[in-house]
Amino acid sequence: MRLKLIPILLFCLFGLTANAETYPEVVFDNSLVKGTYARSLVDYSGKSWVENVNKHLLVSDTLFFTPGNALSLRYLSHPQGDWNVTIRYSRQKFHYRLSNDDVLSFKLYVGSANTKAEHLPSISVKQRDNQSVSLAIGNYVQGFKKDAWLDVRIPVKEFAGLNVEDHISGIILRQLNDSKSTHQLFLDQIEFLPANYSKVPLTSAAVLAKATAYGNHVDLQWQVPLTQSIRYVKIYRSEDNKNFVPISIRPTYMQRCLDYVPVLDKKYYYKIAWLDYNYKESPLSAVQEVQPKKISDDELFSLIQIAHINYFVENYDINTGMHMPFRMKEKAIVSVKETGGAILSLMVGVEKNFISRPLFISRVKRIVKFLATAQNKHGFFPSYYDGRKGIPEYFDRRPQYDVESSAAIMEALLVVRQYLKGDDEAEKEIRRGISDIWERMDWKAVTMPYDPQTLRSNLDMLDEYFVSEPIVGVNLGLNAYMLAMASTRSNIPIVSFSNAIESKYVSRAEVTSSLLADTTVSDSVRQNSLFPDGIDHANQDSLYRISAFRDTIMYGVELPFGAPDGNLLEMYRPFVTINPKLAKLKDYNLAEVVGSYARVVKRRDNEMGVGTSNSDIWGFQQRNDSIGTFRINPAISVASIFLDNQRSIKSLNALYHEFGAFLFSEYGFRSWVDLRSNDVSDEYVASNQANVALLLENAKTGFIWKLYQQIPEIQAVEQRLFKK
């Protein structure tokens, strides 16, 4: 079935150029979709006006400063009206903080003949609910003229009212001086730059190392030299080896780009240049020629898997080897939990000859060395570290050590220990280091008070008796229970695994009269208080264990634990390592339970039908806001391959062939696409990328499953836990 889009999406979504990732200090460089820019918001009143579609600015893909597009701002500043446009900071996983020494820089093109400097709008910086004073853009234009890209630089210190400790949420353009004429501007490359940066001329030619075709995508590879004045890689494409047009830019931390081409079986030619901070180009590279051809399903499968692995190849901290989920100017934040998925994904990359074994060993060696001396409590780590300083990063939250995150990285390291069986000293050293980290984890120290069978989610840094939430449900917590039961130093009872699935916990405040009216719940509550003395402990209300079973039928499917709640990917996570064919408990097959929830989610999403009539497109994540937008997370359907191979492959093909031009990149599928608001994420989520890379591999070869089953400690637990 072909995908059918509502008319506005037909206009907006079919972009055929490669799109840029970017730096944290960039507010706007390119829109990932054509037509309109969803991260903009237009507002006007009276006789004033701003051109928009659905309250968003239009995007220009024919006139731009950096490829492949710019923002179009067409406005009327009438004396009897007013207007303003917000351009939101588009990074979603993290925030950006200013420095007083920064400069707000952007490129401006005046496209209307009657526009003068005094007709330009004012600009302010937005920080959550706070706004700086507005400054007249015309006062900062260097050499005002029409039909040319102008350089605008405004020192941050001139924006009175800013708090440099607060995060940037966008910029606001406002009507300034009245005019009864309509004006046309184009804006591009809106960013905060340091006042001083390297100005070393780029005299050496860029080097495009390789161009390889995979269906409609061409994989371009390069290696940026260690020259501080290089800011971007600029990519050119030609269809005749004569007329080259710029199609994209990439930041210097990226080593490759996937360019989407619309037509197969014809030749394309590529070359690149380095760009400095003033956007001056280096000499161009030599030309690489490529002729894309249709690829088989297996080749498409490999392309998608390798792209998701590449996300972990390039996004890491050089000091620790750990995964770096986002980039910040002042810190190198690394994630403990996400490093677990990164390690396993890189291992698959070795097996597929995508990355070298020495590179993998070097990365893991750094990780193990860092964790060996990293701050911990009872062998458990916090969620994040500052990789440069080697200290925990709590993001102004309560200092705690994360049990599930620690389990995620420990599980991956045990698989590595099983994988690296070589006799050379490097592999021996890694195995010894992993065993040392494993042996110091005290699992009994992270159980709930008065309940040695239940793990808690966090350990408090300051208060030994502060009680966090119990770990329950079908999610990453089950992987923690496997390790806790497998521990040779401090294991917990084997029944803990099924208890975690079959139980949920409520606080005393939640034990209402209506809840107690249910006799089965009432008995369970009375018998299963984690604080039987009735006294509040560690500033937390008493917790009561009740049954998680809630027999429910939805869309013709029986669900043992009630309606779906949360992200389906959380239910997939145990099966990254646990073979679903083994996961049979006394009363049910765990993989069949998860499969039931996947069927319900697909049927629900198909019935919802937001923006598509293609039943192979599913995996909606709804935002609970007044707009009522819906986001498709590609990983939800693609990673379900271990449950239903045919259903997943159909979804993979539909997502790639219908949306691949903007949804799929050198890092794999982006984290979401919203068909209602013409928006697509400009970022990636490590858990998405790992789930896709690893579950695709498991479904094809069982690679991770086999290694996990061979771990001696795990093997002993699985023999006791799962029915044959």
Side-chain angles (χ1 to χ4, degrees), residues 336-338 340 371 375-383 385 400-413 437-438 441 443 446 457-459 476 479-480 483:
V336 171
K337 178 189 291 186
E338 294 172 339
L371 294 177
Q375 184 175 316
N376 66 86
K377 187 171 185 178
H378 300 304
F380 293 86
F381 307 109
S383 300
Y385 286 97
Q400 292 183 329
Y401 298 84
D402 190 320
V403 175
E404 288 183 310
S405 293
S406 301
I409 197 168
M410 190 69 254
E411 177 185 58
L413 290 173
I437 297 169
W438 167 234
M441 298 182 84
W443 291 94
V446 295
S457 56
N458 293 287
L459 276 174
L476 175 60
N479 303 76
L483 296 184

Side-chain angles (χ1 to χ4, degrees), residues 45-201:
S45 61
K47 294 184 178 181
S48 292
W49 171 78
V50 177
E51 184 179 33
N52 71 91
V53 171
N54 197 26
K55 298 297 183 182
H56 302 314
L57 287 180
L58 274 65
V59 169
S60 166
D61 58 359
T62 55
L63 179 64
F64 48 76
F65 182 76
T66 53
N69 51 54
L71 295 176
S72 171
L73 176 61
R74 190 163 177 252
Y75 61 93
L76 172 63
S77 297
H78 197 277
Q80 299 177 31
D82 196 17
W83 65 263
N84 68 79
V85 173
T86 301
I87 302 173
R88 300 198 307 270
Y89 180 70
S90 62
R91 311 282 85 76
Q92 294 130 25
K93 285 195 297 185
F94 64 99
H95 305 286
Y96 181 71
R97 291 179 177 175
L98 292 173
S99 166
N100 276 324
D101 295 329
D102 286 346
V103 174
L104 172 59
S105 171
F106 60 93
K107 306 303 177 183
L108 178 69
Y109 189 100
V110 179
S112 44
N114 58 340
T115 302
K116 300 178 181 178
E118 60 264 28
H119 297 143
L120 300 180
S122 66
I123 188 169
S124 64
V125 178
K126 182 175 174 58
Q127 295 176 302
R128 301 182 187 180
D129 296 329
N130 179 53
Q131 296 179 24
S132 73
V133 299
S134 292
L135 302 175
I137 292 176
N139 294 338
Y140 298 91
V141 175
Q142 299 179 12
F144 182 86
K145 57 183 176 181
K146 302 177 182 65
D147 298 326
W149 284 103
L150 307 176
D151 192 36
V152 183
R153 294 175 181 264
I154 308 176
V156 164
K157 60 186 177 183
E158 297 192 19
F159 287 102
L162 280 182
N163 179 5
V164 293
E165 296 299 319
D166 206 353
H167 303 133
I168 295 301
S169 54
I171 65 166
I172 301 176
L173 302 166
R174 287 189 174 87
Q175 175 173 322
L176 183 58
N177 295 320
D178 299 337
S179 171
K180 294 186 178 181
S181 298
T182 300
H183 304 280
Q184 174 72 69
L185 306 178
F186 298 91
L187 298 99
D188 205 352
Q189 211 58 42
I190 305 170
E191 56 194 336
F192 292 96
L193 297 177
N196 298 308
Y197 45 79
S198 175
K199 297 180 175 63
V200 176

